Amino acid sequence: MIILTDCDGVLLSWEHSFEWWMKRKGYKQKEISYYVCKQYGIPKEKAIELTQQFCESAEIAFLPPLRDAIKYVRKLHEEHGAVFHCITSIGTEPCAVKLREMNLSRLFGEGVFERILCLPCAGNKKESLERYRDSDFVWVEDKLENANLGAKMGLRSFLINHPYNEMGVAHNDVTRVNNWKEIYEHIADC
């Protein structure tokens, strides 16, 4: 079984670490949004620049797991033979890619992630998901737009609930979940 996942907001708690990093830089959160420019009330170009700086910093190697991700990702891997393909928009800077790989391996274990595809920061996932079109693979996301994209491409799309995605309208074939336990319960017996 292959399970496709995003990383930040799905496996790792990027948002919490980024918020602390931004506070140390003197920025205060203004509103809840998926988009950094809206969250902090800064121009889009500055938001991209800061996001990229964070993703290329050593901090990226120490992001904590999201909720119950470790328990259920390991359970799916060890008890059901699942392997994971991670599609993450962390950037393509070689050190950042290596730190992302190290963080995932340290938290989830060796061999859990068969593939880790690092896209440009805030990169579009359409092309990366295209190779899995109509495969009925599980796709786990936190960005509503990407969860909807997966559903339209014939993936079993799950959207992990966060305050920043609760107001959007999910495609009929997107299953909203609060944690990995709920994902596990949907797919473990399939």
Side-chain angles (χ1 to χ4, degrees):
M1 169 188 342
I2 294 175
I3 298 174
L4 311 173
T5 68
D6 178 28
C7 189
D8 301 307
V10 171
L11 299 166
L12 303 176
S13 184
W14 185 92
E15 182 183 17
H16 178 74
S17 298
F18 182 71
E19 185 180 328
W20 280 103
W21 185 82
M22 288 291 280
K23 280 182 184 177
R24 289 195 312 268
K25 298 246 179 233
Y27 293 91
K28 292 184 181 182
Q29 197 170 13
K30 308 277 187 211
E31 67 175 86
I32 295 172
S33 174
Y34 180 84
Y35 300 99
V36 172
C37 57
K38 289 183 180 179
Q39 268 186 320
Y40 292 93
I42 57 178
K44 185 176 181 179
E45 297 76 27
K46 185 66 176 174
I48 291 169
E49 176 188 322
L50 289 166
T51 301
Q52 191 160 355
Q53 281 178 22
F54 176 73
C55 288
E56 292 177 358
S57 75
E59 305 255 353
I60 216 70
F62 302 99
L63 297 182
L66 182 74
R67 303 174 192 155
D68 60 352
I70 288 178
K71 178 179 179 176
Y72 289 98
V73 165
R74 284 185 180 170
K75 197 170 174 72
L76 284 162
H77 177 70
E78 294 165 6
E79 296 176 15
H80 300 277
V83 292
F84 292 77
H85 292 189
C86 181
I87 303 170
T88 175
S89 299
I90 189 164
T92 57
E93 197 282 320
C95 289
V97 170
K98 186 66 178 166
L99 293 174
R100 166 62 34 109
E101 292 168 350
M102 289 170 45
N103 192 204
L104 288 171
S105 180
R106 178 179 58 83
L107 291 173
F108 294 94
E110 293 290 329
V112 173
F113 293 92
E114 183 178 80
R115 178 178 292 151
I116 300 172
L117 177 60
C118 295
L119 304 175
C121 202
N124 187 313
K125 295 184 179 174
K126 184 176 184 180
E127 187 177 316
S128 302
L129 290 175
E130 190 63 48
R131 73 175 60 160
Y132 302 105
R133 180 182 284 279
D134 297 323
S135 64
D136 200 37
F137 287 168
V138 167
W139 167 233
V140 185
E141 247 299 347
D142 69 316
K143 185 176 180 182
L144 180 61
E145 174 184 337
N146 289 334
N148 286 338
L149 174 65
K152 291 174 189 170
M153 294 178 105
L155 302 174
R156 293 176 55 203
S157 200
F158 290 85
L159 179 69
I160 294 195
N161 288 324
H162 289 277
Y164 53 79
N165 69 25
E166 66 188 13
M167 297 304 289
V169 178
H171 186 280
N172 288 341
D173 294 329
V174 172
T175 303
R176 283 185 171 271
V177 293
N178 293 308
N179 52 44
W180 274 91
K181 179 180 184 212
E182 292 178 22
I183 296 168
Y184 179 85
E185 290 169 350
H186 274 90
I187 66 175
D189 295 325
C190 294

